[in-house]
Amino acid sequence: MFWLPISLALVLSASGTSVNLHAPEPVNTRLLAAYWGDQPSYDPQAERDLLDLANRARDRAGLPPFQMDEGLTQAAREHATAMALRQQLSHQFSGEPALSQRLAANCKLYLVEAAENVASAESADRAHDALMHSPPHRENLLHPSYNAIGIGIVRRGDDLYVVEDFGHSLPTYSAEKAEDVIADSVARKRAQAHLPLLQRDGGAAAQKDACAMGAADSIKPGPESSHSARAILRYTSTQPEILPPGADEAIANSGLRTLSVGSCFVRTKTYPNGIYWIVLLFN
């Protein structure tokens, strides 16, 4: 089973000091913004400046640039607003969803990794400089697999409240494409073991089983999932082309003749950014 890794960086202020990650009471940012006279405002120019600074740093490190994503930006702006309203840095206030839930609620990308930097400073330059001089924040900015970013900056008085949300985005396969790449991976394993290729059976039953797992948010088979297969694999995967470690024994069975593959991409409470639910039936 593959999990979405979430890497939360340490909280950083302009001077580089740490603050408490959790506030004591919840905040309703929309309500406060509607009635608070000194309402914070987004700073799109500072957001563009910070993106440019981040991509310059990646270029110097020989890394591809971040692509700004509208959904990640919305998530970052909402959290930056929450920080500005409180005048406090945090990755999660009491009553606020966790990072993975915040990103899933705003972003349409398929993210298999995510991370966040937060900071407060007088300018985008100073915020970037402070983040780059903090090892965990620098690691996020120069993480080789992160390819998408959302930057939210809210100005309150002379201070900028900064949120950088990072993600490793992958393309999503259709069910048919996912099943094909899984079958191809099984075929390669069989070929490496010098075994004959398995014939693909119709995957309707396996696909129905996979979608039922996604709907239940569990790889445990439901009462309707009774199959006469000689071997059954049920698992989740962020990348369908990568088979789970336990698949080798079933695939290497010389007595097998057929394979049925079912895949269903579903976003669930456990996997808010989505994951492939997969069933393999061997006979």
Side-chain angles (χ1 to χ4, degrees), residues 86-166:
R86 288 182 177 275
Q87 295 181 278
Q88 180 179 351
L89 299 183
S90 176
H91 285 293
Q92 184 180 10
F93 292 109
S94 178
E96 183 184 34
L99 175 62
S100 59
Q101 281 76 29
R102 285 193 278 118
L103 299 188
N106 289 280
C107 180
K108 296 180 180 179
L109 297 178
Y110 173 39
L111 301 176
V112 295
E113 292 181 274
E116 181 174 86
N117 285 346
V118 301
S120 177
E122 296 176 358
S123 68
D125 286 350
R126 292 193 64 181
H128 178 72
D129 185 65
L131 291 166
M132 287 295 289
H133 280 85
S134 169
H137 298 82
R138 179 187 177 91
E139 182 179 351
N140 284 337
L141 282 160
L142 301 183
H143 196 295
S145 69
Y146 294 158
N147 53 11
I149 192 172
I151 299 175
I153 298 181
V154 172
R155 181 178 294 277
R156 182 172 181 180
D158 294 330
D159 294 322
L160 297 179
Y161 288 84
V162 177
V163 176
E164 297 174 330
D165 284 336
F166 308 93

Side-chain angles (χ1 to χ4, degrees), residues 173-257:
Y173 296 131
S174 66
E176 182 179 1
K177 176 63 175 176
E179 290 163 8
D180 286 344
V181 298
I182 294 166
D184 289 344
S185 295
V186 171
R188 282 193 295 272
K189 287 281 188 181
R190 295 279 294 184
Q192 291 168 5
H194 305 290
L195 294 170
L197 299 183
L198 300 176
Q199 180 181 346
R200 286 276 298 275
D201 273 358
Q207 208 268 342
K208 182 179 179 181
D209 200 354
C211 290
M213 293 194 310
D217 198 9
S218 172
I219 61 171
K220 294 181 180 179
E224 72 285 353
S225 301
S226 57
H227 302 293
S228 59
R230 295 181 60 181
I232 302 175
L233 291 179
R234 294 184 176 90
Y235 62 99
T236 59
S237 177
T238 57
Q239 296 173 269
E241 58 270 24
I242 301 176
L243 297 170
D248 286 358
E249 183 177 354
I251 293 171
N253 186 331
S254 60
L256 298 177
R257 295 293 179 266

